[in-house]
Amino acid sequence: MSGRVPVAVMISGRGSNMAALIEACADPAFPAEIVLVLSNREDAKGLETAAAAGIPTKVIDYRGKGSREAFEDAAIEALEEAGAEYVCLAGFMRLLSGHFVERWRDRLINIHPSLLPAFPGLNTHERALQSGVKITGCTVHFVRAEMDSGPIIAQAAVPVSDRDTAEALAARVLKLEHQIYPAALSLVTSGKARVAGERVILDEDTSELKPLAVPPMDG
Ligand code: GRF
């Protein structure tokens, strides 16, 4: 074995954040490796990307499982079987119950396309534009049972222009998502980020976040 921390990724669709994590983990110096990509949808595009990278994939279709708990038990079994120590949600579009979230407490990570606690839930970019905020961004956080909440590991920001559309904003934020998620996973799996109370305390040596310290103005 490589001695790296085994991580699973859960997706429902496109999987571009998953692809960014796969790319980061392709570097043998990265502290984590991806042992499973789990999807709740058979038609998730990301499954092809993962398989092409040689990563084991599994589909557990929620709709065929009767209850949320049955789906979550099957997911927990698959994640344990794969030996995952951490689970990254990457565009996983199902709400997970407290049962699942507590099983992975402080080892379940999500990315959300806003500067939480602003704009939890769907349609974040539309809502950001409507509200007139001048800065928005993305957040990587440990997951708690309440939707899009939990200790924040990393954030990155972009300026919002008056001429922005939701699509343009989404594309600009997504570029940052692809940087911040691997950076956050590196911090967590190398032990440089730890939960204290409901905050994440970072080590002083967090070189992973240096490229994110100043918001890029390339939009
Ligand atoms: C991303 O914007 C992510 O922040 C949100 O859902 C989207 C998933 O995109 N949770 P992808 O599947 O990673 O391309």
Side-chain angles (χ1 to χ4, degrees), residues 13-18 90-93 110-113 125 174 177-178:
R14 178 177 59 181
S16 70
N17 277 291
M18 174 213 71
F92 184 73
M93 298 307 283
N110 183 42
I111 185 152
H112 182 75
H125 304 299
L174 191 65
E177 292 184 40
H178 297 163

Side-chain angles (χ1 to χ4, degrees), residues 95-99 101-102 105 143-150:
L95 264 184
L96 292 163
S97 73
H99 161 69
V101 169
E102 283 310 311
R105 191 178 177 85
V143 175
R144 295 291 183 257
E146 199 183 324
M147 184 178 58
D148 297 324
S149 74

